Amino acid sequence: MKELKSVFSREELTENAVKLLKKLIATPSMSRDEYNVSLIIEGFFNEHQLTVNRFKNNIWATNKYFDAGKPSILLNTHHDTVKPNKAYTLDPFIPVEKDGKLFGLGSNDAGASLVAMAQTFLYFYEAEDLTHNLVIALTAEEEISGLDGIEALFPQLPNVELAIVGEPTKMNLAIAEKGLLVIDGDMIGTPSHAAHPNNDNAIVKCMQDLQNILNFKFPKVSDYLGEVKVTLSVINAGSQHNVVPEKCNFTLDVRVTDEYTNREVFEIIQSQMKSKLTPRSFRLNSSKIEVNHPFVQAGLALGRTTYGSPTSSDQAIIPCTSVKLGVGDSLRSHTADEFVYIDEIREGIDIYIKILEKIL
């Protein structure tokens, strides 16, 4: 990489990142309603005289000296948020900077990663003779695993070899991530008057079936993600105290490790249960990057750690090698009075730049 034509100090990058994040917080951007926030992001890049591309509510750009003959590294995170919960004591759409923190909906998940990635992209934008192209994509519908976010955009992106997914990881490297499989189930029985004997009670049969799968141990255990986790999250049956219902229905939330595909896990669960099971989707798969990958090694050389992430992200639908690395703490995501530390943003920019300098 040749010497950069335009070099920004870390302090300038941090100040610009915080300024942008405050604009993002002040612009409601719930999933499927991200148009206004996409305009803010588009305007940010236009201010810096970058060529910006739009696909629906997804904004993306390539480095100035893009070379179609080179593979690309993708900086990707999302600009949509969940709805603010009722426990907020602050206005979720008014950015408040206090005691080294910036409060506001989406500040931690994933606004801080977004603005850190945007500043990192600007830092490298005019660099010549990079080993890879650098592409940034700030996308929609991550919080609902929607079809019009990175999954729709990805085919338009140029030759992506590695995706860096910005989610709050304390700037440590999540080198594996659990996939998500949601299964709806039905147990059919014989309806009857509650006063009479009934050996085909749908609720009782369902309880036995569910206890069996909740106690089941999947034989393969992931080094980073541990065991496949099956959680009963919804159950419904009956409406009258004196009527045994004909059906009991339920939902299983299954967190899948890199040792299995979603389809394999579904087939194993079905083999262990008598209920009729219906998967909602097989598309949200687990992911893994090898620890000897140059990007991971560059992070380790800077003193970062690796771990397996139990939470899902757009990694599940990105069809290339990916790693999750971002600003903030996952434990703050979706909480009341969400915040991020200003110092975390500064550190995030610094770490992104230093890792990329080692591989670009």
Side-chain angles (χ1 to χ4, degrees):
M1 182 178 70
K2 289 184 178 180
E3 183 178 352
L4 299 181
K5 290 184 178 180
S6 179
V7 178
F8 301 87
S9 72
R10 299 295 197 269
E11 199 58 41
E12 287 174 322
L13 293 171
T14 302
E15 290 176 3
N16 290 337
V18 171
K19 181 179 178 181
L20 176 59
L21 183 52
K22 288 178 178 179
K23 290 182 179 180
L24 299 181
I25 291 170
T27 309
S29 56
M30 272 67 79
S31 302
R32 294 200 179 102
D33 192 20
E34 308 102 339
Y35 179 69
N36 287 335
V37 80
S38 74
L39 291 178
I40 298 291
I41 296 166
E42 191 173 27
F44 168 80
F45 286 123
N46 285 331
E47 287 172 14
H48 290 85
Q49 300 180 328
L50 274 64
T51 300
V52 180
N53 304 285
R54 167 183 287 275
F55 180 73
K56 299 187 177 182
N57 287 330
N58 307 296
I59 305 301
W60 66 282
T62 63
N63 57 301
K64 183 175 181 178
Y65 297 102
F66 174 83
D67 182 346
K70 295 179 180 179
S72 299
I73 293 176
L74 171 67
L75 300 174
N76 169 243
T77 190
H78 62 96
H79 52 59
D80 64 316
T81 71
V82 296
K83 294 180 180 179
N85 62 62
K86 295 181 179 179
Y88 265 83
T89 63
L90 303 172
D91 188 321
F93 303 112
I94 296 180
V96 175
E97 190 173 345
K98 182 181 180 181
D99 299 329
K101 303 174 183 177
L102 179 58
F103 292 86
L105 181 65
S107 56
N108 178 77
D109 182 17
S113 294
L114 187 154
V115 297
M117 283 184 162
Q119 297 301 320
T120 300
F121 181 76
L122 288 180
Y123 182 88
F124 286 101
Y125 178 70
E126 294 197 14
E128 298 184 57
D129 293 337
L130 299 177
T131 60
H132 295 68
N133 298 307
L134 194 60
V135 180
I136 189 167
L138 307 174
T139 51
E141 298 192 5
E142 188 275 344
E143 294 291 2
I144 58 171
S145 300
L147 298 175
D148 286 336
I150 187 62
E151 188 172 22
L153 175 64
F154 197 90
Q156 299 186 32
L157 301 179
N159 194 21
V160 177
E161 182 180 87
L162 171 69
I164 305 164
V165 178
E167 292 284 344
T169 70
K170 298 182 179 179
M171 289 307 292
N172 290 312
L173 296 102
I175 63 172
E177 178 186 275
K178 283 189 174 180
L180 174 60
L181 175 63
V182 181
I183 301 173
D184 294 311
D186 294 292
M187 175 62 80
I188 305 300
T190 301
S192 69
H193 195 294
H196 300 306
N198 186 336
N199 294 323
D200 194 39
N201 185 315
I203 298 175
V204 174
K205 289 167 60 182
C206 191
M207 289 170 60
Q208 295 169 343
D209 210 24
L210 288 169
Q211 196 61 57
N212 181 52
I213 194 59
L214 294 176
N215 289 333
F216 178 78
K217 296 291 185 181
F218 286 80
K220 293 189 286 187
V221 179
S222 168
D223 290 339
Y224 276 92
L225 298 173
E227 299 180 341
V228 173
K229 186 176 186 296
V230 180
T231 301
L232 173 64
S233 54
V234 178
I235 187 166
N236 291 291
S239 59
Q240 300 178 73
H241 77 89
N242 58 351
V243 177
V244 175
E246 76 283 1
K247 182 170 66 173
C248 181
N249 54 63
F250 57 89
T251 299
L252 298 175
D253 177 296
V254 186
R255 303 293 166 150
V256 181
T257 74
D258 55 294
E259 292 290 337
Y260 296 94
T261 67
N262 285 2
R263 193 173 294 275
E264 286 172 337
V265 166
F266 175 77
E267 290 172 354
I268 291 171
I269 292 175
Q270 183 66 89
S271 74
Q272 300 296 313
M273 300 186 72
K274 297 177 181 178
S275 301
K276 178 184 177 183
L277 304 181
T278 304
R280 293 187 184 177
S281 169
F282 289 120
R283 58 190 279 267
L284 303 178
N285 293 289
S286 61
S287 61
K288 180 181 179 181
I289 185 172
E290 298 299 331
V291 72
N292 61 0
H293 190 282
F295 187 91
V296 178
Q297 289 297 305
L300 292 173
L302 292 174
R304 312 318 297 169
T305 60
T306 61
Y307 72 103
S309 175
T311 59
S312 60
S313 72
D314 273 342
Q315 275 189 283
I317 47 179
I318 290 177
C320 72
T321 300
S322 62
V323 59
K324 189 158 64 177
L325 175 68
V327 181
D329 187 340
S330 181
L331 294 178
R332 296 186 215 129
S333 299
H334 305 178
T335 61
D337 298 338
E338 181 182 349
F339 71 88
V340 67
Y341 288 98
I342 302 300
D343 282 346
E344 288 178 323
I345 298 173
R346 180 181 293 106
E347 178 191 49
I349 295 169
D350 189 59
I351 291 171
Y352 280 142
I353 288 174
K354 286 181 177 178
I355 293 179
L356 288 171
E357 281 179 334
K358 290 178 178 291
I359 62 175
L360 290 175

